Amino acid sequence: MPIAVAGFKRGRKYDQVLEGARTVFLRDGFEGASVDDIAHEAGVSKATLYSYFPDKRLLFLEVARQECQRQADSAVELKDLEAPPREVLTAAARRIVALATSDFGQKIFRVCVAESDRFPELGRAFYESGPLLVRRRLADYLRVAGARGELVVEDVELAADQFAELCKAGIHAKLIFGAAVCGKQDLERTVRGAVDMFLARYGTKA
């Protein structure tokens, strides 16, 4: 579900304003972000900022819309559908883990949770441009691999969700609550464990 945002005046400092707003909103959230801070971060006057976005809410929604597109562009892309499951799933797991552990991924999660009451459409939009897109791409591959006899999956959508969750095991909660810093070896351990467990359940010897 795309975020509906009214058209705005475009000008030479439009992108500059959006980039400054993105930095402040991801750092401070909607409530904590002040127009003064956004204007300062963007290197523009408040008058210039208001000439593009007369309301902070509209600016926030436009930033969110662009972040949804950014997330969709960076979502797991399964390019080689002919490759064997272990190869494809390992590559997909590394991409999922990389996004979940990135500064961007963590900040987006926190913003969606913090602003869910004020902007109920926000969480849905980020889900559809990120996790749901990943799920669909994984499900498409599971169907192809199943047709080749490499996997036996009765419910590909459920299996895709299960795989995505396995890729966050031992990582997501620690990062969100600041309980620990996950090193490269920890991330690879999670990737291997996710792929091994998934293939133990759905793999075949064919």
Side-chain angles (χ1 to χ4, degrees):
M1 167 181 175
I3 298 175
V5 184
F8 299 109
K9 164 191 167 184
R10 300 271 176 164
R12 64 187 182 88
K13 293 190 176 181
Y14 179 84
D15 291 337
Q16 194 174 324
V17 168
L18 280 178
E19 189 56 35
R22 176 184 185 270
T23 298
V24 175
F25 283 134
L26 288 180
R27 183 187 69 211
D28 302 334
F30 177 81
E31 191 65 32
S34 72
V35 173
D36 286 332
D37 288 342
I38 294 172
H40 180 268
E41 184 68 35
V44 302
S45 67
K46 286 174 66 175
T48 297
L49 190 153
Y50 281 127
S51 72
Y52 291 112
F53 297 95
D55 183 279
K56 186 174 82 165
R57 185 178 189 278
L58 294 176
L59 177 54
F60 180 76
L61 288 174
E62 177 61 11
V63 169
R65 186 190 67 78
Q66 291 203 0
E67 291 308 297
C68 281
Q69 185 59 54
R70 190 191 304 253
Q71 181 175 241
D73 291 342
S74 65
V76 173
E77 187 72 57
L78 303 178
K79 295 180 180 179
D80 187 1
L81 297 183
E82 299 305 313
R86 183 170 292 277
E87 180 180 328
V88 172
L89 293 174
T90 298
R94 285 179 177 145
R95 292 280 286 146
I96 292 171
V97 167
L99 180 59
T101 57
S102 68
D103 187 54
F104 167 75
Q106 293 174 62
K107 285 180 176 178
I108 286 299
F109 178 83
R110 291 189 177 100
V111 167
C112 286
V113 172
E115 308 300 341
S116 60
D117 290 337
R118 185 180 291 106
F119 300 101
E121 71 273 35
L122 187 63
R124 292 193 296 271
F126 273 106
Y127 172 72
E128 291 176 5
S129 66
L132 183 59
L133 189 57
V134 170
R135 176 196 189 197
R136 286 172 175 165
R137 290 175 178 174
L138 283 170
D140 287 343
Y141 175 73
L142 297 181
R143 290 188 185 94
V144 171
R148 292 199 301 259
E150 297 173 332
L151 297 172
V152 178
V153 184
E154 300 82 11
D155 187 334
V156 293
E157 284 79 14
L158 175 61
D161 283 338
Q162 290 171 335
F163 182 71
E165 290 303 312
L166 286 171
C167 293
K168 294 187 286 185
I171 295 176
H172 182 70
K174 289 179 181 177
L175 291 173
I176 292 301
F177 295 112
V181 176
C182 298
K184 185 176 180 179
Q185 288 185 332
D186 298 318
L187 303 185
E188 276 298 308
R189 173 172 166 263
T190 296
V191 167
R192 289 195 304 272
V195 174
D196 287 346
M197 182 170 287
F198 189 85
L199 292 179
R201 169 62 179 86
Y202 294 112
T204 68
K205 294 182 180 180

